[in-house]
Amino acid sequence: MVPSGEQAQSPTVVLIGPPGSGKSTTARLLAGLLGVALRDTDTDIEASAGKAIADIFVDDGEPHFRALEREAVTTALAVHDGVLALGGGAVLDPLSEAALTAYAQAGGAVVFLDVSLTHVAPRVGFNQARPLLLGNPRAKWASLMEARRPVYERVATHRVDTDAKTAAQVAREIHVALARPTPPEDPS
């Protein structure tokens, strides 16, 4: 469903992956390379709720956050025509997964930014801003990844390993992977 006042569109590319895979930074750089707009559903959620995601988890609970996330994902898939970065757990919602699958089946690009625990640890620092990683962050990240990997792989049309790569390198790799050859000119 397209919100009133917004035009139906389709993203150029959707980035998915676990926390620390570099979705937000890569999305910004990729949008620049492609010359298109950037949208991040985590930013959309914070704007609509008027508070940080960590505060939503604490004040309202994970189910409320997931409902906001589902709305942000389905809206962005329906109206955004640039690079779209999704929160790490967005793919777990059945409606969001179905929307991503439909988008991919219609020819859309869903890129899974994959990262190992070894390389993610220095990136996220396992800090307090990531509510699902509180407690034993390494074990929780590994558990999250174990649950999410099959969904990431199922909905993705491309996979990029981000280990030991900068966000700029990942963005360039995606840009090259998405390059579509131009059709030959009609000789007539």
Side-chain angles (χ1 to χ4, degrees), residues 58-169:
V58 170
D59 298 344
D60 308 311
E62 185 177 356
H64 180 70
F65 169 77
R66 294 298 175 197
L68 294 173
E69 184 174 53
R70 178 185 322 107
E71 179 64 27
V73 169
T74 55
T75 297
L77 283 171
V79 303
H80 183 65
D81 63 353
V83 175
L84 176 61
L86 303 187
V91 299
L92 298 179
D93 180 86
L95 293 175
S96 295
E97 181 183 349
L100 282 165
T101 300
Y103 163 75
Q105 289 173 342
V110 178
V111 180
F112 166 30
L113 300 185
D114 201 357
V115 63
S116 68
L117 179 59
T118 301
H119 284 87
V120 81
R123 292 181 190 179
V124 299
F126 295 122
N127 61 35
Q128 303 300 331
R130 299 185 187 267
L132 291 179
L133 299 180
L134 294 177
N136 181 343
R138 289 175 188 270
K140 289 195 176 189
W141 189 91
S143 177
L144 285 175
M145 194 58 184
E146 183 179 329
R148 294 175 181 181
R149 177 175 294 285
V151 184
Y152 292 143
E153 290 175 345
R154 188 166 52 243
V155 301
T157 59
H158 300 77
R159 179 190 160 278
V160 175
D161 181 354
T162 67
D163 282 358
K165 294 178 188 169
T166 67
Q169 289 170 319

